[in-house]
Amino acid sequence: MKYLKLILIILLLITSAMMQSYSKTFTNPQGKVYAFIHDYYEWNLSATQSLSEDNNFSPKNEYDKLLDKCCTKRSDRIGYDSYGQNSLHIPESEKIVSYENINGSVVVKTSTPSRFSYDEDEKKYFEYHLCFYKGEYRISEVYEISDSGVKRKTL
């Protein structure tokens, strides 16, 4: 009985540590960016599917929910009409390449292989700007960065 209690306590401690680690994944800037990439990809799939099905899916309403979950209220609500076969963000291929803390804000840069090039080394880059908002990091802006370094706001 004594060992059973000890085992239960150890299991509870391990479970608690795992839950804390899991929740921190989405509260740090990198975790928030990865969560957004994943959720954006899922939204894009559902929005594209809604074009051929009558499933009561509203791309704009669902996009607003996505932004409410990951972004600040001040972020522009652009991009809800930019969905289709080629999602702007793909979780399996978009990876964080740099992280920079600038005056309390965080800039996370990602890269993903270009889908429209024959050169497999050609990359597409995004820059996520985050700030600490209501107790967690939130995305305030997202830019796509061209090969020449020009930033185009996508969120």
Side-chain angles (χ1 to χ4, degrees):
M1 191 63 146
K2 187 177 185 181
Y3 291 113
L4 184 58
K5 285 182 182 180
L6 182 60
I7 290 172
L8 284 174
I9 290 171
I10 291 172
L11 286 174
L12 284 172
L13 289 172
I14 290 172
T15 304
S16 175
M18 287 173 55
M19 292 303 284
Q20 286 175 354
S21 173
Y22 181 77
S23 67
K24 285 180 184 175
T25 301
F26 299 109
T27 57
N28 69 38
Q30 300 94 324
K32 186 60 77 172
V33 168
Y34 278 134
F36 174 80
I37 292 167
H38 175 270
D39 291 349
Y40 181 93
Y41 181 75
E42 293 297 321
W43 166 81
N44 185 74
L45 287 175
S46 298
T48 303
Q49 188 175 12
S50 75
L51 294 171
S52 62
E53 295 179 4
D54 185 21
N55 60 6
N56 295 326
F57 183 88
S58 168
K60 184 174 182 347
N61 289 344
E62 295 302 318
Y63 189 74
D64 283 342
K65 288 178 189 175
L66 165 65
L67 297 187
D68 287 343
K69 179 179 173 185
C70 296
C71 303
T72 63
K73 292 288 183 190
R74 68 178 182 202
S75 60
D76 291 339
R77 299 295 166 131
I78 61 174
Y80 76 88
D81 55 352
S82 301
Y83 56 89
Q85 275 183 300
N86 300 307
S87 180
L88 203 53
H89 305 281
I90 301 172
E92 292 82 30
S93 62
E94 189 170 346
K95 305 296 179 207
I96 292 175
V97 294
S98 71
Y99 167 91
E100 191 175 6
N101 197 332
I102 304 170
N103 298 328
S105 294
V106 175
V107 176
V108 176
K109 293 182 181 174
T110 64
S111 74
T112 186
S114 177
R115 294 181 303 254
F116 305 110
S117 172
Y118 295 109
D119 181 1
E120 62 186 45
D121 292 331
E122 190 173 325
K123 302 279 187 196
K124 188 175 184 180
Y125 294 92
F126 293 95
E127 191 175 273
Y128 296 81
H129 292 240
L130 297 95
C131 61
F132 204 69
Y133 178 80
K134 293 189 177 182
E136 66 177 332
Y137 281 97
R138 293 285 189 119
I139 298 168
S140 58
E141 298 174 311
V142 179
Y143 295 92
E144 183 176 356
I145 305 172
S146 72
D147 292 337
S148 62
V150 175
K151 294 180 182 181
R152 180 179 67 89
K153 191 170 185 174
T154 62
L155 172 70

